[in-house]
Structure formats: structure tokens, C-alpha cells
Amino acid sequence: MLKGRFAPSPTGRMHLGNVFSALLSWLSVKSKGGQWLLRIEDIDTQRSRPEYAQLLMDDLQWLGLPWDGEPVYQSQRTELYQQHFERLQAQGLTYPCYCSRADLLAAQAPHESDARTVYAGTCRHLPSQPEKPAATRLIVPDKTIAFTDGHYGLHSLNLTHDVGDFVIRRKDGAWAYQLAVVIDDALMDISEVVRGCDLLHSSPQQIYVAQLLGYMPPQFIHLPLLRNTAGQRLSKRDRSLDMATLRQQHTAPAIVGFLAHLAGLQPHPSPITPHALLSTFDWRKVPTTDITVAEITHATNP
Ligand code: GLU
Ligand code: ZN
């Protein structure tokens, strides 16, 4: 059974970019008769709020994007992360990192890593200082990981030169996205991961972690980003395009129809349900260049 997933972080109301990912991920897996699972990525307890998880589920239902089964909460899976972490530790592949600025960089949310810094391995050979708070890094080999993205094609990078030893547990004890995502996708039996192409370059890291843990990586399919008129990836700061505002001004089919048009799935931004897009969905229609959005247009009520 083909399984896809949507894995939002409940750190704010969903915005149009999140909905774009959810819609394409849903269409991709549902058009092939698969299941679409929901994972609430509330691993960062400082930034996540249960209210946002509730709201995003309500928004998905409202949009006509139902998920299969019960949602999975990362906050309830810390034991699983711990077990896998210990397996990596036992293989001698980890070390404590005391660097504070590097730690800050590593603590960035996955999408903030546009300006990527390669960690120089500063702490790799330091004696461990158990009393000092430390992040934990995974040692990477000088190895090139190549994979074929379902939308962007062949992509490869070298773990040493392009990534460096990366954080799998933060200094504050929180599990890093790069570790948790691999464990969850594997244990939830996810075969297809659809998400924004700002995570394209995280995929080799995740493939590497999967290899170390003996899991088969999913097929990755990345999609173009929605950007605001300043060229920034849509985020919580773009209030006019968050679901609270959008739901006051538009119907669900109007929002879906607008996004389907941006995705190349229909010639005009006319209102449509996700379900009605299933039979003609095709990744080959979807652009690979990022898309600028100022406001929802031509998406008046049916
Ligand atoms: N929680 C991450 C996000 O909000 C998930 C990224 C992924 O799909 O792997 O983007
Ligand atoms: Zn360090």
C-alpha cells in the first residue's frame, strides 16, 4: 500500500504555502489509490502549541483534505527517538558538540537553512565534558549520496563537503528534525514524501540516517515554493495569506482552485474541490520554478 504523509509543525496557523504542500501531497498519493497520513511535528515543545494542531486539522477538513487513520504526534514518540539515538551512539557515530553559535544554527527549523553552513567538525576530537551542556552530532563520512527526486530529478551531494557532521539532538535535549523525520517516516511505513523544495538538500542527510538505521528511504518528491512579493518563502509573517484570514474571505473550493491553477492543474483559478482534481492530477503539469503570490485572485465564489 502506497503511503504519503503531511507533517506540519503546529507553530502557527497554516498559510497558503502549507496548504499548497498539503494539497499536492494529498493529490499525489490519493491519485494512486494510497493512504495519506498526518503527523503533527510538535517535537519542538518551545514553539509548538496544541491549539495550532487543532486548527490545522480543522483547516484540512474544511479544505476537503481528509487524512487516513489517527494523527501521529512526535511529542509522544520520544522513547522511539531515544532508542534509535542509542543505536547510533553504540556504533560510535556521535559526539557532543559544545559550540554555541553552531548549535544555534543547528537549532534552526528545517526551512531556515537557506544559507547553509558546513560544520567544520570542531568538537569531533574534543574530550567529552559530561557536566557541560552539549548538542549531539552525527559523524558523516566522505560519501556522495545521490537520489532521484520525483519532480526535480537527480540530486546529489557529498556529506563531508556539503553538509558536515550534523546535529541529531539539540543542546536543550530536543530531538533534531533530521533524526525524527527519518525514524517516523520509516516506522509509519511512508513510501512517498512530498514537501517544499527548500528541503531538497536535506534529503541526502535523511537517506544517510535511514541507511545507518537499516531503513529504506521513501521516494522524495519536492515541489516549488510559494514566495511573497519580497521573494521570501511564505511563512507566518504573511498574515494576509494565513488560513485565519483566507477562511474569512474565500470558500474552500476557491482556495483549492487558486492553488490548483498555480500548480498547473487547471487553466484558470476557478473553484474546485481536491477530489475533483484527482483524475487529472499529473506531476508533469506542476512547475519546478518557485511561484510568487500576492493575493488570491479570480477565485470568487462559484
Ligand atoms: N515539520 C516539517 C515542516 O513543517 C516537515 C518537513 C517534511 O515534510 O519533512 O515543514
Ligand atoms: Zn562543536
Side-chain angles (χ1 to χ4, degrees):
M1 163 68 86
L2 181 76
K3 283 187 188 154
R5 50 71 160 178
F6 181 51
S9 306
T11 55
R13 193 76 186 253
M14 283 209 290
H15 53 72
L16 201 61
N18 302 130
V19 178
F20 191 58
S21 295
L23 174 64
L24 288 179
S25 163
W26 189 91
L27 288 171
S28 184
V29 72
K30 288 287 164 184
S31 63
K32 290 173 279 202
Q35 285 186 345
W36 194 63
L37 308 185
L38 178 63
R39 181 169 72 237
I40 306 295
E41 300 219 319
D42 56 355
I43 204 168
D44 187 340
T45 48
Q46 317 242 340
R47 296 174 64 222
S48 303
R49 298 271 176 280
E51 312 82 271
Y52 287 130
Q54 282 309 320
L55 282 168
L56 75 87
M57 288 191 268
D58 187 64
D59 287 338
L60 290 175
Q61 304 271 22
W62 183 81
L63 287 160
L65 298 170
W67 58 93
D68 294 292
E70 290 298 315
V72 168
Y73 290 82
Q74 285 191 326
S75 56
Q76 294 170 6
R77 296 163 70 81
T78 51
E79 238 162 82
L80 287 170
Y81 308 137
Q82 178 72 39
Q83 286 163 13
H84 287 79
F85 177 78
E86 284 170 13
R87 280 170 56 192
L88 297 172
Q89 266 189 326
Q91 293 178 59
L93 293 173
T94 65
Y95 62 88
C97 169
Y98 306 100
C99 307
S100 57
R101 222 172 63 102
D103 192 58
L104 284 179
L105 284 170
Q108 288 173 333
H111 303 290
E112 290 161 6
S113 52
D114 280 17
R116 290 172 66 78
T117 25
V118 177
Y119 181 65
T122 321
C123 297
R124 211 199 251 211
H125 303 292
L126 286 185
S128 107
Q129 301 161 259
E131 68 294 342
K132 222 173 151 184
T136 304
R137 286 187 186 271
L138 183 72
I139 296 175
V140 300
D142 186 354
K143 181 177 176 179
T144 296
I145 303 261
F147 73 102
T148 303
D149 183 83
H151 194 45
Y152 286 84
L154 188 66
H155 190 77
S156 75
L157 53 76
N158 179 281
L159 291 173
T160 297
H161 302 298
D162 303 322
V163 183
D165 300 340
F166 59 90
V167 170
I168 54 172
R169 186 157 71 177
R170 291 175 4 188
K171 200 180 266 189
D172 64 4
W175 300 106
Y177 159 74
Q178 302 292 4
L179 179 70
V181 70
V182 173
I183 297 168
D184 288 334
D185 285 338
L187 298 184
M188 289 167 72
D189 209 13
I190 300 299
S191 29
E192 178 181 291
V193 165
V194 175
R195 60 188 180 189
C197 67
D198 52 340
L199 291 170
L200 190 60
H201 52 220
S202 280
S203 307
Q205 263 161 280
Q206 295 169 13
I207 290 170
Y208 178 62
V209 174
Q211 286 173 353
L212 289 177
L213 294 170
Y215 294 128
M216 183 79 156
Q219 156 92 65
F220 292 104
I221 308 180
H222 289 85
L223 47 91
L225 297 182
L226 300 193
R227 297 190 179 273
N228 62 22
T229 46
Q232 299 157 315
R233 173 184 178 279
L234 287 191
S235 74
K236 282 177 270 301
R237 73 189 152 236
D238 301 291
R239 274 290 158 74
S240 64
L241 294 174
D242 84 14
M243 282 300 284
T245 313
L246 294 176
R247 277 179 74 160
Q248 284 166 8
Q249 296 171 349
H250 305 279
T251 64
I255 296 170
V256 170
F258 174 73
L259 290 175
H261 174 63
L262 291 185
L265 301 176
Q266 56 173 2
H268 305 289
S270 29
I272 193 164
T273 61
H275 198 266
L277 289 162
L278 281 175
S279 61
T280 56
F281 177 76
D282 189 336
W283 275 109
R284 285 171 296 188
K285 297 177 184 169
V286 180
T288 50
T289 45
D290 290 353
I291 301 163
T292 301
V293 185
E295 56 177 352
I296 291 199
T297 50
H298 305 113
T300 43
N301 293 340

